[in-house]
Amino acid sequence: MPSFLEKLKLTKEEEKKEAVVKEEKVEPDVLQLDVDIYQTPEEVIVLAQIPGAEVKDLDISLSEDNDVLTIEGKIEIPKEITFDKEKSKLLYQECKWGKFYRQIILPQEVDIEKVEAKLKKGVLFLRLPFFKPKLPGKRKIEIKLE
């Protein structure tokens, strides 16, 4: 008599002939990058989990008006991890592999000279300080007495 686990295994194999793939796609073959966005009066902070991504595979840019942030890149299985994919059957896929893309409209123009980007332990950190335009109008000029 088969054990409970053996029955469960047989049932699962019968129910699932196809692999279950969980992913959100922006367009064919491009994944949407999930982000957390914070705002202070001085800046916007963007955090994104990009495990396994390398700096060389990332492209981060701002639009001409410095108010639209674009993050794109790719995540691949490291070359050091090998197995025979031809003999393997994919049972369930939750990991997001391949190209990703995300465009974020910022609440106001960003000072491109002060933008900071870091990638640490699979987390992308972007600090985007707001541009502070010079205020138009009169400026008082101090007179020095000699």
Side-chain angles (χ1 to χ4, degrees):
M1 179 173 190
S3 70
F4 173 74
L5 291 175
E6 290 171 339
K7 287 180 189 177
L8 184 61
K9 183 179 175 184
L10 291 172
T11 305
K12 292 288 182 188
E13 286 176 4
E14 291 171 7
E15 289 175 0
K16 295 185 179 184
K17 299 295 181 194
E18 294 289 317
V20 178
V21 179
K22 180 184 172 189
E23 58 187 37
E24 299 171 30
K25 292 195 175 187
V26 177
E27 53 186 73
D29 300 325
V30 179
L31 303 164
Q32 178 174 310
L33 179 65
D34 296 328
V35 295
D36 291 339
I37 303 172
Y38 299 88
Q39 181 178 349
T40 72
E42 298 85 28
E43 64 190 1
V44 169
I45 303 291
V46 178
L47 297 171
Q49 295 177 340
I50 314 177
E54 295 185 30
V55 172
K56 68 177 180 61
D57 295 328
L58 298 175
D59 183 22
I60 304 169
S61 60
L62 283 167
S63 65
E64 284 184 27
D65 296 330
N66 295 337
D67 62 354
V68 178
L69 174 69
T70 303
I71 305 169
E72 54 189 318
K74 64 181 177 179
I75 302 173
E76 296 177 331
I77 298 173
K79 293 174 184 166
E80 297 83 21
I81 299 175
T82 60
F83 62 97
D84 191 352
K85 289 183 183 177
E86 300 297 321
K87 294 181 181 178
S88 302
K89 178 182 175 186
L90 179 64
L91 298 178
Y92 198 81
Q93 182 176 15
E94 288 184 335
C95 297
K96 296 177 181 180
W97 304 106
K99 295 179 183 180
F100 60 84
Y101 177 88
R102 185 63 184 260
Q103 205 164 46
I104 301 162
I105 298 172
L106 301 170
Q108 68 185 71
E109 189 177 351
V110 169
D111 188 344
I112 188 77
E113 300 300 320
K114 296 181 181 175
V115 170
E116 181 182 345
K118 296 178 185 177
L119 182 64
K120 186 173 182 178
K121 295 186 179 181
V123 176
L124 177 66
F125 171 83
L126 297 170
R127 181 182 305 273
L128 306 157
F130 294 131
F131 181 73
K132 294 177 183 160
K134 294 178 179 151
L135 300 174
K138 278 180 23 177
R139 286 191 311 172
K140 178 132 174 110
I141 297 175
E142 256 186 69
I143 302 170
K144 294 182 183 176
L145 184 62
E146 291 186 11

